[in-house]
Amino acid sequence: MLEKVVVALDAMGGDHAPAEIVKGAVQAVESTDEINVILVGKEEQLKEELYSKCRYGGDAIKIENASEIIEMGDVPTSAVKSKKDSSLVVAMKLVRDGRADAVVSAGNTGAVLVGGQLVVGRLKGIKRPPLAPFVPTTEGFSLLLDCGANVDAKPEHLVQFAQMGSIYYENVMGKKNPTVGILNIGTEEEKGNQLVKDTKPLLEKCKTIHYIGSIEARDIVKGKADIIVCEAFVGNVVLKFFEGLALTLFDSLKQGLMSSLRTKIGTLLVKPALKGLKQQFDTSSQGGAPLLGLKGLVVKAHGNSTANEIEIALKQCISFKNQKINEKIKESICD
Amino acid sequence: MLEKVVVALDAMGGDHAPAEIVKGAVQAVESTDEINVILVGKEEQLKEELYSKCRYGGDAIKIENASEIIEMGDVPTSAVKSKKDSSLVVAMKLVRDGRADAVVSAGNTGAVLVGGQLVVGRLKGIKRPPLAPFVPTTEGFSLLLDCGANVDAKPEHLVQFAQMGSIYYENVMGKKNPTVGILNIGTEEEKGNQLVKDTKPLLEKCKTIHYIGSIEARDIVKGKADIIVCEAFVGNVVLKFFEGLALTLFDSLKQGLMSSLRTKIGTLLVKPALKGLKQQFDTSSQGGAPLLGLKGLVVKAHGNSTANEIEIALKQCISFKNQKINEKIKESICD
């Protein structure tokens, strides 16, 4: 195995588990030889999916049995604590015990966040691990963090988000010295809530980041900053609103376009443009969102991920390991 | 004048002031006789706009001189306090002194919020006046409040927002017993930040509203609740993100559609459908947003309002007065 990245994949988490999850694993190992996958879940079911349905015959995918499943409706903290033989917890233990480099799960978001902290554990010095998805913009992608469930953050948390986000963005997107903004309700000096007002001077003083000030919500999608820091309640609201609005607009557009023969003919002609736009603003196009600042990599894939999204999420783990992102985070923050 | 609604219009506020503001006033009084407008601003300039450019000859529009202007970049509190002869402050004084029923301004949002509280004043018992815009949904419109600049709200503020929002929605939209949700990061019982957790039991107990629980951000645009309460930082972020994303998507769509001869031809055929969609999701289609809970009506129109938006904002004041919304708020909350 040597330099390969080993990913523990929660095969039972997500709306389309286990079929699409297993299929995604097969797609990933068939398109790159830099990755090995450990499918974690009910062994018999996974064997059926992997060997019978997908007819997989290679040795880059192994199966690790786990008898329980954390459901979407389970309360995160108690589920992680009580379902010790769940696919998610077993996958995380593989990382904790050094048998895998990363976990990917499309399951219960709260449980992934809780498990990341309780089972995988935080890097020394990291106060809070943020969930950091890329969101599409007209310029490419911006990293929005924290979008997790650890609400009511403190100023020092946001500063660490900015530092970790900068390292992640620089190494994954290949852009030196990426810009950092703080999400605010105006760009003027006196604007903001108490958290933003208290955080701004700390960001200004922070020498390891390229801070450019306040970013208004209307400018997120214009790519005004590469990294945008905010408290998790706000980040989560923005992320989900983005998803909801984009989907709704495309659905409404589709309905409008199918409303008459004339528009139907026109639609045939404009289809490529529409498809391109939909892909550009698909919030799940970048695979999963990492939880930054943990001892291993934990990637949360979208709950409704199909094989393609799982494949992308698995491949994300390659550059995360190869770029030694965690080592860089440790060096720059954890002293 | 008798039953006419008298609106003091800040003629110097907004990106297209005074030309479009004055034009909007003329359009309003020419299309309804239920309204009288007092244009507030630099007299000579307004006379030029009203009589020379618009060739207005009626008596439903008067001019009130004000020598100063609060600029978009001015710091709200100090601007309201120091520029006592500004068009905004003078317009608000007309309401305070009973010479007008309402103020409409497309100027500095912060100054409108501050002026509303300092000059017009809160109704007795109202703790905080929320800015309450209608946002477009697939079902019609939802009222999102607070979207103002009064951040870091308390649970009792959000309860009043729910009560005032219900009265406003019921009377303006004509829907009995409208539903109220609280913006949250999940619908499960344990989800939320401290403010949301503390507010939920109070909303459940509140008998004057039809509370239906948590609303996730992705469901706002699906119209899952008629009234959505949240803290102002979050509300402002959602509102501006909505604006930014919708505009950006339509711009990108336009670019894509103009990219080849084929798509250009198709665009001609689908144009009506696109136009309809753009109108449906235009966040400024409902004119301005009221500040609820003040002694008179204060309406904030969008900064880039043109004559049509000003006309709509002026006409909003008619139903606000005729439906006796402030009287109803006083009865139900202010005891």
Side-chain angles (χ1 to χ4, degrees), chain B residues 38-43 46 62-66 90 94 99:
Chain B
I38 306 177
L39 288 174
V40 185
K42 300 191 172 180
E43 196 169 1
L46 296 183
K62 301 260 182 298
I63 292 173
E64 179 87 12
N65 187 52
V90 171
L94 291 175
R99 289 180 54 204

Side-chain angles (χ1 to χ4, degrees), chain B residues 101-138:
Chain B
D101 301 299
V103 182
V104 169
S105 175
N108 184 316
T109 305
V112 174
L113 301 178
V114 170
Q117 298 200 59
L118 294 186
V119 183
V120 178
R122 279 173 285 157
L123 287 171
K124 208 181 148 212
I126 295 297
K127 296 184 174 101
R128 187 180 272 205
L131 186 69
F134 280 111
V135 295
T137 73
T138 51

Side-chain angles (χ1 to χ4, degrees), chain B residues 231-243:
Chain B
E231 186 272 331
F233 188 93
V234 176
N236 194 292
V237 162
V238 168
L239 185 69
K240 287 189 178 156
F241 187 72
F242 196 147
E243 235 179 79

Side-chain angles (χ1 to χ4, degrees), chain B residues 49 54 67 107 167 186 241 247 301 312 330:
Chain B
E49 292 291 338
C54 292
S67 63
I167 293 167
F241 187 72
L247 277 179
I312 300 171
K330 268 196 267 184

